Amino acid sequence: MFRRNFIPILVLLLICFFILKPATVSEGAFNGLKIWVSNIVPYLFPMSVLSNILLKYNFIYRAFERFNKYAVIPYFIGFVSGYPSGAMTINTMYENKRINNDEANYLLSFTNNCSFQFIAGAISFSMLNNFNLFKYIAVPHFAGAIILSIFIKNNTVSNNKGKNVKQPQSDFHQVFSSSIYKSVTGILTVGGVIVIFSVFSNFFNEVLTSLSHVIHISPYIKDIVYSLIVGALEVTNGCSIISSSVYIPLELKLIIINFLVSFSGMSVIFQTFAVTDKFEINLKNYIAHRFMLGVISALICIIMTAFM
């Protein structure tokens, strides 16, 4: 009985906590809104509109027919805009009957990645205060995604039925209006997920800070555990915590950041789930593949940092 009612009981406990800790909730919500307004809307919304327009035309599919399962399209858009834009692109491709459900899940595992701009600007330049460190995060992340696609390729079955489907061309104003509507809906959904997970992250921050005063552990271990737990929930906060630590050596910081960025955190995973309403996600496999990508990226980073 408890197992069946676990989610409602958990939600009731969270509501009680929200009532008892309004300041923590408000701070987390405002932080989430700042992330959404500052980092998501300016970059993801314009790219979402343009990619939705582009994916309505047969040209883009003909251009990439030679590549396996059109992987280049969401991989490139993810590279430019970051997650969950890769997932939004795959959702549109499925809606347009260019790929089937198995292909959508396969592509989702390795194309819904962090943007290069976030890696280079937000993490390397702003958090680590060294722009030149971007290669120790970007190369493992994007190369790791390609390696992961090879590992999981044999486990996917695809007949690619939708590949040769040609969609009727609509007038540009109809395509533009439809793209704006889809993008606004997607961005608002992403914003809602970011805000609620930012509240959860703020709650865990408070709990872990309180525990650190009770349980006496070394600052070195505390910062590692703290960043991994928070980063597994929300990647930006996790990367910020580990980057600001004065106890962790740079090489280990880069390795942990690689894992967090590639795993992406539960906030991004639920953002992905929220914007992919046209096909059925195998959530268990997706989370497992993101964890695999985190491990692969961390291993590549270990090799690269050995030659720093």
Side-chain angles (χ1 to χ4, degrees):
M1 182 177 177
F2 176 77
R3 186 175 180 181
R4 185 172 64 249
N5 297 314
F6 174 75
I7 297 298
I9 291 172
L10 178 62
V11 171
L12 284 172
L13 290 174
L14 287 172
I15 290 173
C16 292
F17 167 76
F18 286 2
I19 294 172
L20 294 172
K21 294 282 188 177
T24 302
V25 175
S26 298
E27 183 182 3
F30 278 118
N31 288 339
L33 284 172
K34 287 178 187 176
I35 292 172
W36 183 64
V37 171
S38 302
N39 299 322
I40 303 299
V41 175
Y43 306 114
L44 186 57
F45 180 71
M47 182 57 69
S48 176
V49 173
L50 294 176
S51 61
N52 271 298
I53 293 173
L54 195 60
L55 292 170
K56 280 291 184 181
Y57 291 90
N58 292 309
F59 166 78
I60 190 67
Y61 299 102
R62 288 197 299 266
F64 292 107
E65 272 181 345
R66 68 186 66 184
F67 295 100
N68 186 34
K69 299 181 179 68
Y70 302 122
V72 172
I73 301 171
Y75 187 86
F76 173 74
I77 291 176
F79 176 89
V80 175
S81 297
Y83 30 57
S85 61
M88 295 169 73
T89 303
I90 293 166
N91 197 55
T92 302
M93 291 168 67
Y94 180 85
E95 183 182 13
N96 293 338
K97 299 181 180 180
R98 295 294 178 166
I99 55 177
N100 59 36
N101 198 78
D102 288 336
E103 290 173 318
N105 276 281
Y106 169 69
L107 291 175
L108 191 65
S109 297
F110 69 94
T111 62
N112 189 40
N113 299 318
C114 186
S115 70
F116 176 81
Q117 185 171 15
F118 182 79
I119 290 172
I123 299 178
S124 301
F125 182 75
S126 298
M127 296 182 189
L128 294 172
N129 299 312
N130 187 343
F131 177 79
N132 293 323
L133 293 174
F134 77 87
K135 56 182 175 287
Y136 294 101
I137 306 170
V139 172
H141 180 58
F142 294 111
I146 295 173
I147 294 172
L148 177 66
S149 73
I150 298 170
F151 282 165
I152 65 177
K153 181 179 179 181
N154 293 330
N155 296 325
T156 60
V157 179
S158 170
N159 53 22
N160 207 17
K161 288 182 179 178
K163 191 167 186 175
N164 296 319
V165 174
K166 288 187 178 181
Q167 56 197 12
Q169 299 300 311
S170 304
D171 292 335
F172 176 74
H173 72 276
Q174 294 176 321
V175 173
F176 182 76
S177 299
S178 173
S179 299
I180 290 289
Y181 176 79
K182 287 182 180 179
S183 299
V184 168
T185 303
I187 292 295
L188 288 174
T189 302
V190 169
V193 175
I194 288 174
V195 169
I196 195 66
F197 269 90
S198 182
V199 172
F200 293 157
S201 179
N202 210 40
F203 163 68
F204 278 109
N205 284 348
E206 191 170 292
V207 171
L208 290 171
T209 301
S210 300
L211 286 175
S212 66
H213 295 308
V214 177
I215 303 172
H216 298 288
I217 56 177
S218 68
Y220 175 84
I221 299 297
K222 187 188 78 171
D223 285 354
I224 291 176
V225 173
Y226 189 31
S227 63
L228 286 173
I229 292 176
V230 174
L233 189 65
E234 207 289 308
V235 63
T236 305
N237 287 335
C239 290
S240 178
I241 290 167
I242 197 67
S243 298
S244 61
S245 174
V246 296
Y247 304 103
I248 309 298
L250 178 60
E251 292 82 0
L252 184 55
K253 285 183 180 181
L254 292 170
I255 293 167
I256 293 173
I257 287 171
N258 265 284
F259 175 80
L260 294 177
V261 166
S262 295
F263 176 66
S264 75
M266 296 307 296
S267 175
V268 172
I269 289 172
F270 274 84
Q271 289 172 42
T272 300
F273 188 74
V275 299
T276 49
D277 59 335
K278 302 301 180 182
F279 67 95
E280 185 178 348
I281 293 182
N282 188 327
L283 191 59
K284 183 179 178 181
N285 280 352
Y286 179 66
I287 293 175
H289 290 154
R290 297 311 300 188
F291 183 84
M292 288 171 58
L293 179 56
V295 173
I296 293 169
S297 300
L299 290 174
I300 296 173
C301 183
I302 290 171
I303 297 171
M304 291 182 66
T305 53
F307 299 95
M308 284 182 72

